[in-house]
Amino acid sequence: MTTQDMVNNAVNMAKRVQARDDLCSRSAMYGLQSVFDFIPDSFVKASASLAGGCGSASGSCGAYASCLLAVGLKYNSTISEELDDPSVFMAKTAAAFNEYRERFRAEWGTTLCPEIQEQLFGRAYKLYEPDEVKEYLELEGHAEKCAQVVGSAVKIAAEMLLSL
């Protein structure tokens, strides 16, 4: 399988699961796990808590946050490494998360769920307010538009996981 096939497979799986489950963060992590065997089931399970702007708090995009965790799982320095050499944090960990963040921002202009919602739907929704959640989930094209964001987040992460 080529590198591009691996990226495409991760993106397609994530988008398919997003369309089915509508949990952006878990869909993104599952898509990555389908290609990268170092991502444990526990990460897929835990990543569901990041959906809806991290815990339905209308903060950071859940797909962004979930993919950032996958990048960190592979590239972040350990505490032991940092105790031995404090400069490793900036050289290794920060370099990876800064690259991911900037690539995501280049595509969406933000990492925040409400600002992405404004781009996709013309307004932001408070995902901690039951009435707004109901309205948000019933929007025409909701699943497809959120899958677009998930696919984008997964593509960036998969490319990084294959190249760093």
Side-chain angles (χ1 to χ4, degrees), residues 121-137:
F121 307 111
R123 67 163 277 215
Y125 293 81
K126 295 175 185 158
L127 299 180
Y128 48 85
E129 296 288 341
D131 290 342
E132 290 204 27
V133 170
K134 184 178 184 319
E135 183 181 346
Y136 178 68
L137 294 175

Side-chain angles (χ1 to χ4, degrees), residues 11-24 26-28 141-148 150-151:
V11 168
N12 291 336
M13 179 61 76
K15 289 170 80 173
R16 189 167 82 223
V17 173
Q18 172 61 25
R20 186 193 71 202
D21 297 344
D22 201 19
L23 280 169
C24 57
R26 186 174 69 186
S27 301
H142 166 81
E144 296 81 12
K145 289 179 180 180
C146 288
Q148 179 184 2
V150 167

Side-chain angles (χ1 to χ4, degrees), residues 70-92:
V71 169
L73 182 61
K74 184 165 184 182
Y75 295 111
N76 284 1
S77 52
T78 65
I79 297 290
S80 295
E81 289 173 319
E82 292 174 23
L83 288 173
D84 290 342
D85 179 4
S87 69
V88 76
F89 175 82
M90 291 306 290
K92 189 175 179 184

